[in-house]
Amino acid sequence: MNSVSMIIFLFMFSVFGLSAQYTEADWEDRDTWMKTDFLLQMAGVEAGHKVADIGCHEGYLSIRLAERVRDNGRVYSVDVRSDRLEKLRTNANTRNLKNIVTILGDYDDPKLPERELDFVFIIDTYHEMESYNKILGHVKKSLKPGGKLMILEKLKDWVRNKSRKEQVASHSLGPEYVREELEEAGFSLISEIQDHGDWEKENNKQMWVILAEKPK
């Protein structure tokens, strides 16, 4: 994302409040409509695991992961904005969570440690990644053999069956593109949920989930 795109992006956030679903006040409601506990069970996250949350914003998923992996686990929380990471650290401190490591990533590199992670989560962020091929390469390097990657996105009705470019322009993405990109990056697809419910309870935004694995 160039400087002009970044300015436009930040303007949209300030004017239209596009970050609202990530603020702490909405977290409890998000637990329900995103079925977060089910997703973490589906992935197999347990105490002691080392995991990453790419596109962590203010820490919604990172906090949930930190509570699940417990003190002997670790969460690497990645975002490209330092203000989000600062807010995440505040949210973690108020909960006395010491197992979260914040990382200021680049737009083409999440800067994760190599061959260390059991799971990586990219939730409603993959569609923003212009350099998705590079990022998938970095994610693959960060995972242990047999480590898993979960991607959740929303597909908006008005861009269904449209080109990848058209979908991304609407902050949306269909699973057919991501399946192909994961396979090209060397991941094995494990499971998929084609309809995980409605994003923010809006019935024209269908969530889908893909769970993939780095070969053992």
Side-chain angles (χ1 to χ4, degrees):
M1 184 179 291
N2 58 36
S3 58
V4 174
S5 297
M6 186 62 180
I7 291 170
I8 295 171
F9 180 72
L10 292 175
F11 173 78
M12 290 178 67
F13 262 77
S14 63
V15 174
F16 298 108
L18 296 181
S19 62
Q21 68 265 32
Y22 297 106
T23 59
E24 188 176 2
D26 298 312
W27 286 4
E28 186 174 349
D29 191 40
R30 189 175 181 182
D31 284 341
T32 300
W33 59 256
M34 205 174 86
K35 307 169 192 172
T36 305
D37 283 344
F38 170 81
L39 291 176
L40 300 187
Q41 290 172 10
M42 173 184 172
V45 179
E46 298 177 351
H49 279 149
K50 294 181 179 180
V51 304
D53 176 16
I54 300 179
C56 61
H57 289 77
E58 296 182 4
Y60 166 74
L61 185 63
S62 293
I63 297 293
R64 300 299 187 264
L65 287 167
E67 292 169 345
R68 196 171 184 92
V69 302
R70 305 202 178 183
D71 292 342
N72 58 334
R74 183 170 297 171
V75 179
Y76 294 94
S77 302
V78 183
D79 209 286
V80 295
R81 284 175 48 181
S82 58
D83 60 317
R84 290 173 176 166
L85 296 176
E86 183 177 352
K87 182 62 175 176
L88 187 156
R89 287 190 288 269
T90 298
N91 287 330
N93 287 336
T94 60
R95 294 166 172 80
N96 197 32
L97 293 171
K98 308 295 185 183
N99 56 351
I100 296 177
V101 177
T102 56
I103 299 175
L104 183 63
D106 290 333
Y107 284 99
D108 62 354
D109 185 357
K111 298 183 179 180
L112 294 167
E114 293 190 6
R115 297 178 64 86
E116 183 171 327
L117 303 180
D118 299 288
F119 301 94
V120 173
F121 293 85
I122 306 178
I123 306 299
D124 190 39
T125 301
Y126 188 83
H127 69 272
E128 299 284 359
M129 297 174 173
E130 294 182 6
S131 302
Y132 53 85
N133 289 325
K134 288 184 179 180
I135 292 172
L136 288 177
H138 288 301
V139 168
K140 188 178 177 185
K141 288 180 181 179
S142 75
L143 288 166
K144 300 174 182 177
K148 296 179 177 63
L149 166 63
M150 177 176 282
I151 296 177
L152 180 149
E153 278 290 343
K154 56 183 179 292
L155 179 57
K156 299 176 181 178
D157 285 351
W158 56 92
V159 290
R160 191 178 296 274
N161 300 319
K162 300 292 186 180
S163 69
R164 192 187 199 283
K165 183 178 180 180
E166 289 172 301
Q167 291 183 354
V168 167
S170 292
H171 298 279
S172 179
L173 193 57
E176 65 275 12
Y177 296 110
V178 182
R179 283 189 219 107
E180 182 177 351
E181 290 156 10
L182 287 169
E183 290 173 345
E184 289 177 352
F187 286 91
S188 300
L189 302 184
I190 299 175
S191 59
E192 179 176 345
I193 303 173
Q194 295 184 4
D195 185 357
H196 188 62
D198 300 327
W199 179 262
E200 293 189 303
K201 303 177 184 177
E202 297 182 22
N203 59 15
N204 57 1
K205 300 177 181 179
Q206 179 181 307
M207 289 183 288
W208 57 264
V209 183
I210 290 179
L211 184 64
E213 181 180 59
K214 175 180 177 177
K216 298 178 182 178

